[in-house]
Structures are given as C-alpha cells and as structure tokens.
C-alpha cells in the first residue's frame, strides 16, 4: 500500500511528541513492505525552534521525505495560522493528494503546514483519509487547553488567551472551517480516551467518527536494555524527561529534591524554560540536567531509574514518557491534572498518582525505598508495553481501522464506533484490561 503522511514537524525538524509517533508508524509500515511518503514544514520548525537543535535522523528504507520550504519562509506558517489555509504550501500538497495511486492519506499535526484547509485537498479521490489528533488543536487555538499559560482551561476565552500567549486571533475558528474539514475524513483518531472525551464534550464527533487508538513503541526501541540489569549507580535516582516548558511542571518537581538528599533527579530535555529550571536547581547538587537524549540514551536513563516522574500540569493527549518508562520496566509517578497521563500512567497499574506537592514527595519516597511496590508497578507497566502498546498490536488495529473505513465508504455510510471509540473490528475489552490505580 502507498501511504502519505501530512504533518507540521518531522525528523530532524521536530521536537518529539507527535513527530515521534509519525516516525514510529512510518517505520512500522515500511518494515511490513509498504511505501510511505511524509510531507512536513521546514518553515514552521525554523519559525519556532529558538535554540532547539536539529535532530540526527536517517529515514528507514521505503520512507521518502518531502520537506516543504517556501521562499516566503516564516510568512508561510504565519499565513496558515491566520487563515486556516495551506496557501504557500497548497501546490506541493495538491500534487501528492490528487494522485490516483494513493491508498491512505494520514493527517497529523497540520496546524502550520496547512490548517483545516489541508484536509479538503484531494477529497473525492480513492485514498482513505484519517487524522490523528495529537494535541487539542481542533478545539483550542493554543493547542493544549492550557489557559493564559497558567492553568488548565475551564471555559473558553480564546481571543484573550491568544493575546496573552502573543498569538494573533484566528478568525477562521468562528466559521465552519473545522466542521467542513472534518467532513472529509473517514475517521478521526485519538491516542487516549481522555482526549477523545475532551473533544466529544465540544461536539467534534458530530463531524467525523472518533476512534481511540493508543500510541506504541517499536519492538527494538530500547535496544534490549530491559533484558539486562542497569549499570550500577553510585546513588539512586529518579528520572524525568520532556521539552523544558512551563506547562510540563518540572518547576514543581525540582524544589522538592531538597527533601530527598539521598536521591538524585536526572532531567532530560531542552527548551525555552531551561534557564529558569537551572536557576531553581542552584544549590541542589542532586539535580542534574542531561540535555537532549536520543532513544537509546533515554532508554538507559529510564532503565537505571527508581522511577520516572511526569509532573505535567496540562491535559496531555497521551504522554510518550509513560510508555517509554514502561518499555524498560520502570514505574512512573504522574500528576492527576495531566489528562491522559493519569489514564496511561496510573490507571493501567504501572504507576502512582498525586495531586499535591506533599503527595508527590511521598510517592517519590515510596518508589525509591519500597522494593515490593516498585516490583509490582514495574511488572504491570511492562505488561502494557508488550501487550496493547506493542508495535504488532498497534499495526494490527491500525490496519483493521483502515479496513473498517474502506468497508463503510463502500457501503455509502459512516464508520460506526461504540461509546469507547472502538470500531467494529476492535477488541471489546478496555485497554489494559482491569484498571487499577495506587494513589500516593
């Protein structure tokens, strides 16, 4: 089959997150003999990268990259941000989306590469059309349901929030641009049930069938480090990772290390909030900044940790860090306000959840010092990685979803999904079986 992926950030021009999923899905499809093309926007990455380094990236055989650049550079994503239309990228996108030999068009984060207008390009062709909502962009102009850069969004105040966030208001959001765009999709995919429900509350499922399909990790992501004992460390440590931005909550975690002098915190990642986090860590010799790590480095960091702390303050749509920790049999500690982080990290049984700073400190102490608890959490988390979050299971469900979409289209109808977001061929039982949470 011939696949086309449309996304804003990818490969060397990416920050992780949704780009990591797109890359892993592309690799999985290529390993199974499919042809995959990825179109992404270099102009958008350059417009927002700041000091973020280019990633080392070598595409897998069968994966063909199409980096999009315009002579207008930053004006291209700014025009899409303001109008919701591809404009400077439309010609390049039409060339591929109008092709008759495409089997599947999979849209991802299209916020700057084409906006909702991109979803209508190539409509009416034979290719199936699905989209994965990696963020809350469809219902939030700031993408994150994070209000005024201070707290989770409780009710819409979008224009003021955009002005506070130093972004121009998007007037197209007050038109039928999103409903019209979603009407061209065979399915709209969400990586967590929490994200699906947030969109359902706002009526998105009226315009496109909404499906739950969680992320996964490639079978060889951790390089087999979970099969070996981690190298001895002079001191026990907790790990954390992510883009260093305010809403990730690392500023709540770092000061607590004053109360855990016998334990180190090793924080991986880079971002615009790094200087402030380093200031908070002054005088704390047990806080270490690891910089930007690749897959192998992150796997080794997590494997040697007593636990991985995920202190996100905003409603995440999945949280790859949880899955990456489970992949090397390391438990997690997650903030209850982190949206899907609670669903993936604690309700699966692989971690502890907390609400307050004191509960976080208690949870960290328990994971570090309670061997029986840590072993129990580790086993439950790893069971998710080799089961519902495995590459084989994901590709199986992904291809079943495409088959269901094709059958619905041929029958002249709309894909049917149950209240949990499962199409006809999906397993009836919930992700991970019985849910279990041990709250700190």
């Amino acid at each position: 089959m011939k696949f086309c992926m449309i996304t804003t950030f990818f490969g060397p021009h990416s920050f992780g997150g949704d780009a990591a999923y797109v890359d892993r899905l592309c690799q999985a499809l290529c390993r199974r003999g499919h042809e995959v093309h990825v179109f992404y926007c270099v102009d958008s990455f350059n417009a927002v990268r700041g000091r973020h380094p280019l990633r080392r990236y070598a595409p897998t055989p069968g994966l063909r990259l199409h980096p999009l650049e315009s002579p207008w550079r930053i004006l291209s994503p700014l025009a899409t941000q303001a109008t919701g239309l591809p404009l400077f990228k439309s010609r390049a996108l039409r060339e591929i989306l109008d092709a008759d030999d495409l089997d599947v068009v999979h849209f991802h984060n299209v916020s700057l590469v084409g906006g909702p207008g991109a979803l209508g390009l190539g409509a009416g062709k034979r290719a199936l059309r699905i989209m994965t909502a990696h963020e809350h962009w469809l219902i939030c102009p700031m993408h994150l349901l994070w209000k005024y850069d201070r707290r989770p969004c409780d009710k819409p105040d979008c224009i003021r929030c955009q002005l506070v966030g130093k972004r121009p208001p998007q007037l197209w959001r007050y038109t039928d641009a999103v409903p019209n765009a979603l009407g061209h999709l065979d399915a709209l995919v969400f990586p967590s049930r929490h994200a699906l429900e947030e969109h359902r509350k706002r009526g998105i499922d009226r315009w496109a069938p909404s499906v739950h399909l969680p992320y996964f990790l490639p079978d060889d992501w951790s390089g087999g480090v979970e099969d070996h004992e981690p190298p001895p460390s002079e001191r026990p440590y907790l790990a954390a990772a992510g883009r260093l931005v305010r809403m990730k909550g690392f500023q709540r975690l770092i000061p607590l290390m004053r109360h855990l002098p016998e334990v180190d915190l090793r924080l991986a990642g880079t971002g615009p909030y790094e200087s402030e986090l380093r200031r908070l860590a002054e005088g704390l010799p047990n806080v270490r900044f690891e910089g930007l790590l690749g897959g192998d480095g992150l796997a080794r960091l997590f494997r040697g940790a007593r636990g991985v702390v995920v202190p996100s303050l905003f409603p995440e749509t999945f949280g790859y860090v949880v899955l990456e920790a489970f992949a090397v049999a390391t438990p997690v500690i997650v903030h209850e306000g982190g949206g899907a982080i609670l669903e993936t990290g604690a309700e699966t049984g692989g971690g502890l959840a907390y609400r307050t700073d004191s509960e976080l400190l208690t949870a960290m102490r328990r994971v570090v010092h309670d061997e029986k608890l840590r072993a129990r959490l580790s086993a439950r988390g790893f069971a998710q990685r080799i089961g519902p979050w495995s590459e084989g299971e994901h590709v199986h469900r992904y291809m079943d979803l495409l088959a269901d979409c094709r059958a619905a289209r041929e029958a002249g109808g709309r894909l049917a999904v149950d209240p949990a977001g499962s199409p006809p061929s999906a397993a009836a039982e919930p992700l991970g079986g019985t849910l279990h949470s041990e709250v700190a």
Side-chain angles (χ1 to χ4, degrees):
M1 295 174 66
K2 184 176 181 179
F3 291 79
C4 175
M5 307 285 173
I6 309 292
T7 192
T8 295
F9 306 114
F10 187 78
H13 302 91
S14 69
F15 304 97
D18 53 280
Y21 170 78
V22 180
D23 181 33
R24 289 159 180 168
L25 177 60
C26 290
Q27 291 187 46
L29 293 172
C30 288
R31 279 194 287 270
R32 287 159 176 81
H34 301 288
E35 178 183 339
V36 184
H37 296 255
V38 182
F39 287 74
Y40 61 97
C41 185
V42 175
D43 295 325
S44 298
F45 178 78
N46 290 334
V48 300
R49 66 178 291 191
R51 297 181 178 179
H52 194 88
L54 287 174
R55 293 173 177 266
R56 294 182 179 179
Y57 185 79
T60 191
L63 177 58
R64 303 180 188 181
L65 305 188
H66 303 268
L68 301 178
E69 294 185 76
S70 166
W72 299 96
R73 299 186 180 181
I74 191 175
L75 291 180
S76 175
L78 284 177
T80 295
Q81 163 85 3
T83 66
L85 298 171
L87 297 180
F88 300 109
K89 301 293 192 302
S90 61
R91 181 176 179 179
L93 292 175
R94 284 185 184 278
E95 286 181 2
I96 181 65
L97 296 180
D98 283 339
D100 292 324
D101 62 342
L102 273 182
D103 295 296
V104 178
V105 177
H106 191 160
F107 298 96
H108 297 275
N109 171 12
V110 296
S111 60
L112 296 179
V113 74
L119 303 187
L121 299 181
K125 298 293 183 177
R126 63 176 292 275
L128 295 172
R129 305 167 67 83
I130 66 175
M131 176 180 178
T132 296
H134 298 282
E135 297 178 334
H136 295 96
W137 170 73
L138 288 170
I139 56 176
C140 173
M142 302 302 288
H143 297 223
L144 304 172
L145 292 180
W146 180 246
K147 198 168 187 177
Y148 309 144
D149 197 29
R150 292 198 305 267
R151 56 185 172 84
C153 182
D154 51 356
K155 60 181 179 180
D157 192 5
C158 298
I159 291 181
R160 184 182 175 192
C161 192
Q162 289 174 84
L163 294 175
V164 170
K166 299 180 180 179
R167 298 186 189 181
Q170 298 172 312
L171 299 182
W172 55 263
R173 288 186 177 272
Y174 301 93
T175 71
D176 289 331
V178 169
N180 289 342
L182 296 180
H184 297 298
L185 298 177
D186 294 288
L188 178 60
V189 182
F190 296 92
S192 69
R193 291 198 174 97
H194 181 275
L196 189 154
E197 288 305 319
E198 287 293 333
H199 285 74
R200 275 183 174 165
K201 289 176 186 176
R202 295 158 176 84
I204 288 296
D205 59 328
R206 289 178 295 170
W207 316 115
S210 298
V211 177
H212 171 228
L213 180 62
Y215 288 158
F216 74 101
L217 282 179
D219 294 335
D220 60 352
W221 175 79
S222 54
V225 300
E226 71 273 19
D227 298 326
H228 306 282
E229 286 299 316
S233 176
E234 294 181 1
R235 289 164 51 84
Y237 69 89
L238 296 162
R243 191 158 189 240
L244 303 186
V245 291
R246 192 168 184 266
M247 67 279 293
K248 288 289 186 178
F250 298 124
Q251 69 273 17
R252 301 283 296 273
L253 168 62
I254 289 174
L256 295 182
M257 298 309 296
R258 298 182 187 278
H259 307 289
L260 281 174
E262 76 279 15
V263 179
D264 289 339
L265 171 65
R266 297 173 62 177
L267 175 57
T270 186
Y273 203 51
E274 183 172 349
S275 59
E276 177 63 19
L277 296 177
R278 286 185 178 274
R279 186 191 65 79
L280 286 174
E282 290 178 358
L284 292 174
N286 59 339
V287 177
R288 295 172 50 183
F289 289 82
E290 301 290 329
L292 187 64
L293 299 180
D296 290 345
L298 197 62
R300 294 187 183 282
L301 176 69
F302 284 3
R303 175 59 171 155
R306 302 297 297 168
V308 174
V309 186
V310 191
S312 295
L313 302 175
F314 73 106
E316 299 226 31
T317 54
F318 186 85
Y320 246 128
V321 170
V322 171
L323 178 47
E324 289 162 346
F326 287 176
V328 291
T330 299
V332 296
I333 302 170
V334 300
H335 182 225
E336 285 193 4
I341 293 293
L342 178 64
E343 174 186 327
T344 58
E347 293 178 351
T348 54
L352 304 179
Y354 71 92
R355 295 178 297 272
T356 65
D357 290 350
S358 61
E359 288 181 347
L360 171 56
L361 185 58
T362 298
M364 290 193 293
R365 284 180 172 142
R366 292 180 67 192
V367 166
V368 170
H369 298 295
D370 189 336
E371 290 290 348
K372 290 184 179 179
L373 170 65
R374 185 179 183 279
R376 186 163 66 248
L377 298 176
S378 298
R380 290 170 180 163
F382 189 67
Q384 296 294 312
R385 187 267 186 275
I386 62 175
W389 295 347
S390 67
E391 177 179 320
E393 177 65 16
H394 184 90
V395 174
H396 174 74
R397 292 180 62 180
Y398 182 81
M399 300 305 288
D400 278 352
L401 170 61
L402 297 179
D404 289 337
C405 288
R406 179 65 69 188
R409 184 186 286 192
E410 291 176 351
R414 167 177 157 138
L415 179 70
V417 294
D418 65 19
S422 298
S425 62
E429 64 185 61
L431 173 64
T434 303
L435 299 182
H436 176 84
S437 175
E438 294 196 48
V439 179

